[in-house]
Amino acid sequence: MTDAPIAPRRPTSRTHHGDTVDDPYEWLREKESPEVIAHLEAENAHTDAATAHLSSLRERLFQEIKGRVQETDLSVPTRRGDWWYYSRTEEGAQYGIHCRAAAAPDDWTPPVLEPGVAVPGEVVLLDGNAEAEGHEFFSLGAFDTTDDSSLLLWSTDFEGDEVYTVHVRDLSTGATLDDEIPGTASAFFTPDGTSILYTTRDDAWRPDTLWLHRLGTPVSEDVSLFHEADEKFWLGAGITRSRRYLVIGVGSSITSEEYLVDLTGDLTAAPQLVWPREEGVEYSVDHAVVAGEDRLFILHNRDALDFELVSVAAAAPTGESHVVVPHVAGRRLLGMDAFRDFATLEYRSEGLERIGLLDYSSDAVDELAFDEPLYSAGVSGNPEWHSPYLRIGYTSFVTPGTVYDLDLATRELLLRKRATVLGGYEPADYGQQRAWATAPDGTKVPISLVWKRSFGTPGAAVRPVQLYGYGSYEHSIDPGFSVARLSALDRGVIFAVAHVRGGGEMGRQWYEEGKLLHKKNTFTDFVACARHLIDAGVTSPDQMVAEGGSAGGLLMGAVANLAPELFAGILAGVPFVDALTSILDPSLPLTVVEWDEWGNPLHDADVYAYMKSYTPYENVRDGVEYPRILAVTSLNDTRVLYVEPAKWVARLREAGASDVLLKCEMVAGHGGVSGRYNSWRERAFELAWLLDTLGLAD
């Protein structure tokens, strides 16, 4: 095995608020430097050598994942206009193939498509495998058709940096038009099909400008419709399902503002402001026609921590409002989707996602019921303004991804498809339950547990545990099925999720108590969950591995410093472990927009001191016995730069950590490698390391 690479220490320092910090590994930030590339390649070579004994296990895990997946498969068709749209995969192919087939008039029941059976009248719109040919990385961004179904728009990224090039195809002739638009973030057609609306990013990777491109004209003549100058705010745009309004939204982590453009008029007209931005107030807008009047439905948190839903006249959005769904503490309203005759309301209560149907005439909300105690459900794939069915996606820790259509007349859930898991998978062979840990401040923190029943109920005997956490941006880790996870469960591992503060599982207050100057709650909650599992006899420190990615990677680095004795290993994916350095530099991608989440250490001495007290890189402890650590990153990641884990690993080795590995994908982005087989191999690599750390590599 090769020796671990030792990064040279080079004098570098920074001073803020009278505090000078030595940062001897900052030179690793020079991405174009041959020396940096050579160091990353040396790290990869060391990781390859250190894990060479796991090669056969990696191959077995890959084959297990592959063997459980129905490789030739199709999605449930979704009706839009006169066509059924769906995607399919073929055995041996990395990427999906996007297709459509003609729909009969008034036929809203999706055709049942059989894997490997030719679909009558199929039109291939885009073959991702053909698009990816000749490229190590491929990501499909935008995908849209005109309302008259004559043109296709799609965008591609071949680097992993989330910068997309837009292309347009005439579906009647198959010809690709000259309307190629580079450097985009998002893109879609206008309803009349004559133009493209797209967004671009500034130098800090922040979407900041909305453009109008008229088909057949040079990109140089494109018109800027809206520009957001404030560096704390990102920009997004979309069209209401009613096809009446273009909605332009700008927002930070805590504040939002939206504008409307009436699509029956001039697209270049000045957008109509809905509500002026107010620090700390978030809102979103949708449109419906109620009793013959154009109404805007506004979901907001003004004096309503967990949000309320109101409606206003579209002609006077700042005028008198009607409360449709009032604020209820602990019931976090997440989103509202307007349809012609009703709306859907998605919300979170008691830690679970809920779906309700809103009656426009009575404001009554009819909640849909599901059988499992832990599940995830959401409204998805409903492009039509009016349909007799509502498409719903459903899953749980033990139920594979499921597609239902809700019959709106009978309220019956019609099963359209449940993902096939090959190899004799039986949901009843696996259990799921919720436990509760107690944080240092007395807060009860939920833990979800998943296990294979043949190994016994958690707590009956000490077992290996994979403890996962995230805890930032109000993002919730909801119950969800994983084919790859079965390889660990079938070897006796219990999968656990620590639903720590900073996430959104228990409402907006849960998020507020895990951000800014309360961020340490995220870390101490996770440690409390680990201690609970040990104290309850579920596991032991030598049989527990912690895992998290991105901001969850920050969590991993923090708990490694706080409680290294509790874990046998820590798996950190694209980890945000040099957070203070990044948040101090407004020239780095996305830094300024992050200040609402973490605080502004550049201008606030208290925030600076608080962040410095927890960020993993600054708080590596000399002479401490760290658990085994695997950090996985990507060279082209624009969200968490590769340099963060590279510096962290160098510092850990300097401090004496004996088993620390860095794996850097040299052609990939924040989501890792592209292509399903590549992704399965990447996960097999991580799982092999995890199982080896738990003593289950045989």
Side-chain angles (χ1 to χ4, degrees):
M1 185 177 77
T2 61
D3 291 333
I6 302 300
R9 291 175 57 89
R10 294 186 179 155
T12 306
S13 64
R14 64 170 188 259
T15 301
H16 293 88
H17 308 292
D19 179 54
T20 298
V21 173
D22 294 322
D23 192 354
Y25 302 115
E26 178 63 12
W27 65 272
L28 288 167
R29 190 175 299 277
E30 298 176 23
K31 180 180 176 182
E32 305 303 324
S33 165
E35 187 178 7
V36 170
I37 297 300
H39 177 78
L40 295 175
E41 289 173 342
E43 288 281 14
N44 284 340
H46 172 65
T47 298
D48 288 343
T51 59
H53 66 291
L54 300 175
S55 60
S56 61
L57 175 58
R58 286 198 296 265
E59 183 60 28
R60 290 201 306 274
L61 290 167
F62 171 75
Q63 293 299 335
E64 287 174 16
I65 296 169
K66 182 172 176 287
R68 290 187 175 105
V69 175
Q70 187 162 287
E71 296 179 66
T72 298
D73 205 358
L74 306 96
S75 66
V76 179
T78 296
R79 179 156 180 170
R80 185 179 177 214
D82 296 328
W83 297 86
W84 290 107
Y85 288 84
Y86 59 96
S87 61
R88 56 182 175 84
T89 55
E90 294 181 350
E91 184 175 353
Q94 291 268 24
Y95 302 98
I97 302 168
H98 303 271
C99 311
R100 71 181 183 185
D106 300 321
D107 183 8
W108 291 93
T109 302
V112 178
L113 309 182
E114 297 295 336
V117 178
V119 178
E122 176 179 273
V123 177
V124 174
L125 300 175
L126 188 77
D127 184 342
N129 304 287
E131 292 290 315
E133 191 170 344
H135 301 279
E136 289 187 62
F137 181 92
F138 165 69
S139 174
L140 177 64
F143 188 85
D144 193 21
T145 56
T146 50
D147 284 6
D148 68 2
S149 308
S150 64
L151 299 176
L152 170 71
L153 174 156
W154 78 102
S155 66
T156 55
D157 165 23
F158 297 118
E159 300 294 332
D161 58 4
E162 301 179 47
V163 177
Y164 294 89
T165 298
V166 171
H167 314 272
V168 181
R169 178 174 296 152
D170 185 325
L171 293 175
S172 62
T173 66
T176 299
L177 305 186
D178 293 333
D179 300 85
E180 183 175 284
I181 310 172
T184 69
S186 63
F188 51 93
F189 284 118
T190 56
D192 64 9
T194 64
S195 303
I196 295 171
L197 293 160
Y198 66 94
T199 59
T200 56
R201 304 177 190 271
D202 63 10
D203 292 340
W205 240 253
R206 173 184 66 100
D208 69 329
T209 306
L210 175 66
W211 300 85
L212 174 67
H213 171 77
R214 301 191 186 280
L215 293 175
T217 65
V219 173
S220 60
E221 296 179 5
D222 290 357
V223 178
S224 172
L225 297 183
F226 193 95
H227 173 72
E228 176 53 49
D230 191 326
E231 294 181 343
K232 292 193 300 182
F233 286 76
W234 45 258
L235 178 146
I239 294 175
T240 58
R241 186 177 282 102
S242 64
R243 313 300 280 174
R244 174 66 184 275
Y245 293 104
L246 166 67
V247 182
I248 303 170
V250 295
S252 69
S253 294
I254 62 171
T255 305
S256 60
E257 182 178 61
E258 297 202 347
Y259 297 80
L260 301 180
V261 177
D262 191 333
L263 294 174
T264 64
D266 181 5
L267 268 174
T268 63
Q272 175 192 13
L273 175 63
V274 179
W275 285 358
R277 78 183 63 173
E278 180 181 333
E279 183 80 7
V281 173
E282 302 167 62
Y283 71 91
S284 59
V285 177
D286 207 342
H287 164 253
V289 179
V290 180
E293 180 187 14
D294 282 306
R295 302 287 293 181
L296 300 180
F297 286 81
I298 304 176
L299 192 71
H300 73 92
N301 69 338
R302 179 186 288 156
D303 300 321
L305 182 66
D306 283 311
F307 289 70
E308 74 174 4
L309 180 67
V310 302
S311 76
V312 298
T318 58
E320 183 179 355
S321 65
H322 165 67
V323 176
V324 179
V325 179
H327 171 258
V328 174
R331 182 189 65 183
R332 170 69 163 93
L333 303 185
L334 301 173
M336 180 264 194
D337 281 304
F339 294 83
R340 191 190 71 178
D341 301 323
F342 71 101
T344 61
L345 192 69
E346 294 184 75
Y347 49 100
R348 185 176 299 282
S349 178
E350 299 176 338
L352 292 177
E353 293 178 303
R354 317 280 181 165
I355 301 173
L357 302 185
L358 172 68
D359 185 300
Y360 288 142
S361 62
S362 67
D363 295 340
V365 177
D366 181 15
E367 182 174 299
L368 303 184
F370 298 96
D371 294 334
E372 294 182 276
L374 300 178
Y375 66 86
S376 298
V379 177
S380 63
N382 294 278
E384 288 295 307
W385 181 229
H386 174 59
S387 165
Y389 298 120
L390 178 72
R391 179 66 50 86
I392 292 171
Y394 177 91
T395 186
S396 79
F397 286 117
V398 300
T399 302
T402 302
V403 176
Y404 289 111
D405 275 347
L406 176 70
D407 186 320
L408 294 167
T410 66
R411 292 295 195 265
E412 180 183 3
L413 277 174
L414 305 173
L415 177 63
R416 298 305 191 194
K417 181 168 185 171
R418 178 160 288 148
T420 300
V421 182
L422 303 177
Y425 173 75
E426 292 292 341
D429 291 343
Y430 301 82
Q432 58 176 345
Q433 70 180 35
R434 180 156 284 176
W436 297 85
T438 303
D441 64 359
T443 299
K444 298 296 184 182
V445 182
I447 311 171
S448 294
L449 300 173
V450 193
W451 70 96
K452 190 168 187 178
R453 295 184 188 276
S454 61
F455 290 93
T457 303
V462 172
R463 297 254 301 279
V465 163
Q466 175 188 0
L467 181 61
Y468 186 88
Y470 187 76
S472 292
Y473 303 106
E474 204 181 0
H475 176 69
S476 300
I477 306 300
D478 289 311
F481 186 79
S482 167
V483 163
R485 187 188 302 141
L486 295 177
S487 291
L489 298 181
D490 287 353
R491 288 170 169 82
V493 177
I494 296 171
F495 178 75
V497 178
H499 300 284
V500 295
R501 281 175 284 184
E505 286 90 340
M506 304 297 287
R508 173 51 70 91
Q509 190 63 37
W510 200 250
Y511 170 49
E512 296 289 344
E513 292 178 3
K515 63 183 290 195
L516 298 172
L517 296 179
H518 303 290
K519 188 63 202 170
K520 290 182 183 179
N521 284 334
T522 303
F523 316 138
T524 53
D525 282 1
F526 191 88
V527 170
C529 290
R531 292 191 189 281
H532 173 84
L533 295 175
I534 294 168
D535 293 344
V538 175
T539 191
S540 60
D542 62 337
Q543 294 190 75
M544 181 156 49
V545 169
E547 181 180 5
S550 194
L554 165 66
L555 170 61
M556 293 300 100
V559 300
N561 293 331
L562 280 174
E565 72 281 359
L566 295 184
F567 307 98
I570 289 180
L571 176 53
V574 291
F576 188 40
V577 282
D578 192 19
L580 182 57
T581 305
S582 295
I583 299 300
L584 279 168
D585 188 350
S587 70
L588 291 178
L590 304 176
T591 287
V592 175
V593 300
E594 294 287 325
W595 284 344
D596 285 335
E597 179 75 17
W598 309 98
N600 182 351
L602 188 62
H603 299 117
D604 189 320
D606 291 338
V607 170
Y608 174 87
Y610 187 75
M611 288 193 71
K612 188 182 177 186
S613 72
Y614 72 71
T615 47
Y617 177 61
E618 282 84 3
N619 289 281
V620 170
R621 297 159 59 189
D622 291 309
V624 169
E625 185 176 348
Y626 277 90
R628 295 175 66 180
I629 292 175
L630 172 62
V632 179
T633 188
S634 299
L635 184 64
N636 294 330
D637 190 344
T638 56
R639 296 179 182 271
V640 179
L641 302 185
Y642 74 90
V643 67
E644 300 207 19
K647 289 172 62 177
W648 181 51
V649 166
R651 176 69 186 98
L652 283 163
R653 291 209 186 104
E654 179 189 31
S658 59
D659 193 344
V660 182
L661 300 177
L662 175 66
K663 185 175 188 288
C664 181
E665 297 293 344
M666 304 305 283
V667 184
H670 193 62
V673 296
S674 68
R676 56 177 179 162
Y677 295 102
N678 293 339
S679 297
W680 296 343
R681 286 200 178 277
E682 185 177 69
R683 189 54 182 164
F685 180 94
E686 296 166 354
L687 282 174
W689 178 89
L690 183 147
L691 292 171
D692 185 47
T693 302
L694 292 173
L696 298 172
D698 295 336

